[in-house]
Amino acid sequence: MQSFWSDKRVTVTGGAGFLGQHLVKRLETYGAKVFVPRQRDYNLTSLDACLKCLLEHPADVLFHAAAYYGGIGINQTQPATLYYSNLVMGANLMEAARLVKLEKFVAIGTACSYPGYLEGHLKEDDLWAGPCHASVVNYGLTKKMMAVQAQAYKRQYGLDSIHLILTNLYGPGDSYNPERSHVVAALVRKWVEADLAKAPSIEVWGTGKPVREFIYVEDCADAIVLAAESYDDAATPLNIGTGIGTSIKELTETINAVSGFKGKLVWNTDKPDGAPFKVLDVTRMKSALGGWTAPTSLHDGLAKTIDWYRANKAQADTKW
Ligand code: GDP
């Protein structure tokens, strides 16, 4: 069947990574010819390498899904690496894209880019309404610079691009390393290990009060592909999420229910809470994507994730 993607040449940076591999799978299913640059061949922090990549593998559409990222822990321990790698990769890739006259640049951004101290659901129009939360500023602000660059490049070079703001992802293939992981992967690992060891208690960070939004990685990949097809406003970023807020305490209760293991929780308040509330407003997303909403509930997504982690623990634990 002919689709938007039939025979399109598509490059997915980060295509071997957590989100990227799901993007690649979908795009190939829809008939795209997908190229995934690997770091050993194309170091995307170099403009020459970005250009070489796009000249050697001409693309119509580029998804920039490569990122050096992680949870609140790595934002504390590696702020400089997060800053440099994400800022430079984004800047160089977009510059290379305009030099080769790419058809469309799909920038994958992050909810960490939003002001960290706003009340209520985060709306695209409020992206510049205040400073990022201090706990994630190096990641959030550098990713957000792609949205600035996109507007400049549209005006001066006519480059078409979109900027998608993703909420917290979780699922199979995530980083389960406690120094890097986001909360879902961290807690899945802690619960499974506590269950195996019959541990009397589990340590959880912070107060449990912060509210986050969680999207199952496969749902997110579906939305990104749909947005690449149907959204083309370079000036207006588009949120991708569920719009549903869950406190960290509620998350622990859902993991208890799904995993069947209920440990005594020890809340370590020496660890940071991060932003108090990070949930996207998905009104614009729904209308831009023809009414699309994420089909996988947190309960079902956690069940799939825990099953996958149990079956792949040895391999998952060695991944940074
Ligand atoms: P954030 O969304 O950028 O703040 O990043 P995280 O996903 O790492 O953290 C989300 C929330 O989960 C924060 O309030 C953390 O304190 C809390 N949390 C509770 N236990 C853990 C844990 O074991 N690891 C991580 N990364 N976060 C945890």
Side-chain angles (χ1 to χ4, degrees):
M1 198 181 69
Q2 206 54 17
S3 84
F4 175 91
W5 297 103
S6 296
D7 294 327
K8 273 244 185 314
R9 299 165 307 170
V10 178
T11 289
V12 182
T13 71
F18 173 42
L19 169 66
Q21 55 185 293
H22 294 285
L23 280 175
V24 170
K25 211 189 291 171
R26 267 153 194 73
L27 291 162
E28 284 180 341
T29 307
Y30 300 149
K33 294 184 184 133
V34 182
F35 174 68
V36 174
R38 302 305 302 263
Q39 202 175 4
R40 58 180 174 265
D41 303 317
Y42 303 100
N43 175 351
L44 302 176
T45 58
S46 142
L47 175 59
D48 285 350
C50 292
L51 205 47
K52 190 163 172 274
C53 172
L54 292 181
L55 289 171
E56 289 179 351
H57 301 274
D60 304 309
V61 181
L62 182 137
F63 290 77
H64 178 31
Y68 191 57
Y69 71 97
I72 207 160
I74 195 180
N75 275 276
Q76 288 194 311
T77 54
Q78 298 191 8
T81 316
L82 289 170
Y83 178 91
Y84 181 75
S85 55
N86 292 305
L87 185 74
V88 174
M89 266 196 290
N92 283 337
L93 265 174
M94 210 178 284
E95 172 68 4
R98 73 94 184 167
L99 286 168
V100 301
K101 302 195 182 343
L102 188 94
E103 214 174 88
K104 190 168 189 175
F105 188 104
V106 180
I108 304 298
T110 168
C112 295
S113 294
Y114 270 106
Y117 310 90
L118 292 179
E119 297 276 313
H121 285 57
L122 301 164
K123 296 190 177 68
E124 290 90 342
D125 292 343
D126 290 335
L127 190 59
W128 296 96
C132 293
H133 196 272
S135 62
V136 289
V137 63
N138 296 288
Y139 183 59
L141 197 54
T142 50
K143 277 282 184 186
K144 186 153 125 174
M145 291 315 288
M146 288 194 298
V148 178
Q149 191 176 1
Q151 292 196 36
Y153 277 49
K154 176 72 180 168
R155 186 177 313 152
Q156 191 174 335
Y157 302 125
L159 178 71
D160 283 324
S161 67
I162 55 172
H163 187 91
L164 305 177
I165 301 184
L166 271 46
T167 196
N168 290 19
L169 307 181
Y170 72 97
D174 202 351
S175 167
Y176 288 83
N177 184 309
E179 285 169 40
R180 183 175 183 193
S181 53
H182 278 282
V183 62
V184 174
L187 298 193
V188 163
R189 181 169 179 168
K190 285 181 185 180
W191 256 248
V192 169
E193 290 186 343
D195 191 10
L196 288 170
K198 300 288 165 253
S201 65
I202 302 176
E203 185 196 282
V204 192
W205 295 357
T207 61
K209 289 184 189 146
V211 175
R212 294 290 181 273
E213 174 189 19
F214 304 108
I215 190 168
Y216 189 62
V217 63
E218 292 186 25
D219 293 352
C220 189
D222 280 338
I224 293 170
V225 172
L226 210 50
E229 281 177 43
S230 54
Y231 192 70
D232 51 22
D233 184 351
T236 314
L238 186 68
N239 287 342
I240 303 287
T242 64
I244 301 168
T246 303
S247 73
I248 302 303
K249 183 166 181 297
E250 286 165 343
L251 174 67
T252 64
E253 287 159 4
T254 312
I255 297 178
N256 278 343
V258 173
S259 70
F261 179 77
K262 196 171 179 313
K264 177 179 175 298
L265 300 189
V266 177
W267 294 92
N268 180 353
T269 49
D270 290 340
K271 294 285 188 184
D273 264 347
F277 187 90
K278 201 160 43 173
V279 183
L280 300 177
D281 179 295
V282 292
T283 312
R284 185 176 287 161
M285 177 197 83
K286 283 187 195 161
S287 92
L289 306 187
W292 185 90
T293 52
T296 310
S297 68
L298 181 60
H299 183 283
D300 291 356
L302 282 172
K304 288 193 213 184
T305 305
I306 292 172
D307 282 352
W308 178 87
Y309 179 72
R310 282 198 173 116
N312 295 277
K313 183 168 174 16
Q315 170 224 330
D317 289 353
T318 58
K319 189 180 154 202
W320 168 245

